[in-house]
Amino acid sequence: MTQTATLHYLFDPLCGWCYGASAAIGALADQPDIDLQPHATGLFAGDGARPMKSFAAQAWASDQRIAALSGQKFTEAYRQNVLGADDASLDSTVATLAVTAVANTNPERVIEALRAIQSARYVAGKDVTTAAVVADVLTDLGLADAAACVLSPDAALAELVRRRTAQARTLMTTYQLRGVPALIAEVDGTRGALDASTLYSGPDAVRAALKLR
């Protein structure tokens, strides 16, 4: 019998380190013996949002470290149009709403949608804090229902976002996780936090940590 593992992935769509881990997460999501469960924490949503101008230079320096470690691209378009915009903010409210809408309508495509939103920000230099931009990203993926939800969110979706982010934060508190990305693994009935830095060494490193052959 093939051994399987459940891997809970805690993230924020606008977290640069989560973007750095995105290739490994995408590969892990495609592996049949790993049940990858994504959890948006809302770290930079709502009250967690803040103006970008106050730390844009610091963010770019951090992004270069992430790029060197992960191989992910942070383009000049992102630097100028996202970090450099006068009214830019680190606000994942819309992106968190979007991944929740996808989870509710096409749950098997959450990671795909997340990676597309990340690429729109860090590669194409688009403002994914706005509903129209994020809805366009989802529409391009053929996720029309989720796109419509982003453009016209109702009370039920707002409640779903609240409930799911609360559950994600409870997981973080339970396992004393201080930031994202974060991983919680379940293998052979045992559940515990996994060192998320393994993500930057690729999916095989995570599999080794899970003791999956």
Side-chain angles (χ1 to χ4, degrees), residues 86-168:
D86 289 339
D87 59 349
S89 63
L90 182 66
D91 184 352
S92 65
T93 301
V94 173
T96 299
L97 183 78
V99 294
T100 305
V102 175
N104 197 41
T105 55
N106 296 88
E108 73 285 355
R109 300 187 66 186
V110 173
I111 296 301
E112 180 187 0
L114 170 63
R115 295 187 69 190
I117 292 168
Q118 291 169 325
S119 181
R121 174 180 172 84
Y122 293 108
V123 180
K126 295 181 179 180
D127 181 7
V128 298
T129 68
T130 62
V133 170
V134 174
D136 282 347
V137 172
L138 298 182
T139 298
D140 288 345
L141 294 177
L143 296 169
D145 289 344
C149 291
V150 170
L151 291 173
S152 300
D154 58 15
L157 180 58
E159 172 59 21
L160 187 61
V161 171
R162 186 203 65 76
R163 188 168 72 248
R164 291 195 176 186
T165 54
Q167 290 170 346

Side-chain angles (χ1 to χ4, degrees), residues 4-193:
T4 61
T6 298
L7 190 62
H8 298 273
Y9 173 53
L10 296 107
F11 66 92
D12 187 281
L14 269 59
C15 161
W17 287 100
C18 297
Y19 169 60
S22 62
I25 287 295
L28 291 166
D30 289 338
Q31 298 185 10
D33 56 349
I34 294 178
D35 176 19
L36 185 69
Q37 296 290 323
H39 303 272
T41 63
L43 180 63
F44 301 127
D47 293 341
R50 47 183 168 150
M52 186 68 74
K53 185 173 288 188
S54 62
F55 67 102
Q58 177 186 347
W60 181 250
S62 177
D63 293 338
Q64 301 318 293
R65 292 195 298 273
I66 298 168
L69 184 63
S70 68
Q72 293 292 97
K73 292 182 179 180
F74 294 81
T75 66
E76 191 63 25
Y78 156 71
R79 184 181 188 181
Q80 292 184 5
N81 300 331
V82 176
L83 296 183
D86 289 339
D87 59 349
S89 63
L90 182 66
D91 184 352
S92 65
T93 301
V94 173
T96 299
L97 183 78
V99 294
T100 305
V102 175
N104 197 41
T105 55
N106 296 88
E108 73 285 355
R109 300 187 66 186
V110 173
I111 296 301
E112 180 187 0
L114 170 63
R115 295 187 69 190
I117 292 168
Q118 291 169 325
S119 181
R121 174 180 172 84
Y122 293 108
V123 180
K126 295 181 179 180
D127 181 7
V128 298
T129 68
T130 62
V133 170
V134 174
D136 282 347
V137 172
L138 298 182
T139 298
D140 288 345
L141 294 177
L143 296 169
D145 289 344
C149 291
V150 170
L151 291 173
S152 300
D154 58 15
L157 180 58
E159 172 59 21
L160 187 61
V161 171
R162 186 203 65 76
R163 188 168 72 248
R164 291 195 176 186
T165 54
Q167 290 170 346
R169 293 183 186 192
T170 296
L171 280 174
M172 294 189 73
T173 300
T174 300
Y175 291 93
Q176 300 181 327
L177 300 168
R178 297 184 178 276
V180 292
L183 298 172
I184 300 167
E186 295 180 49
V187 183
D188 291 337
T190 300
R191 193 181 201 189

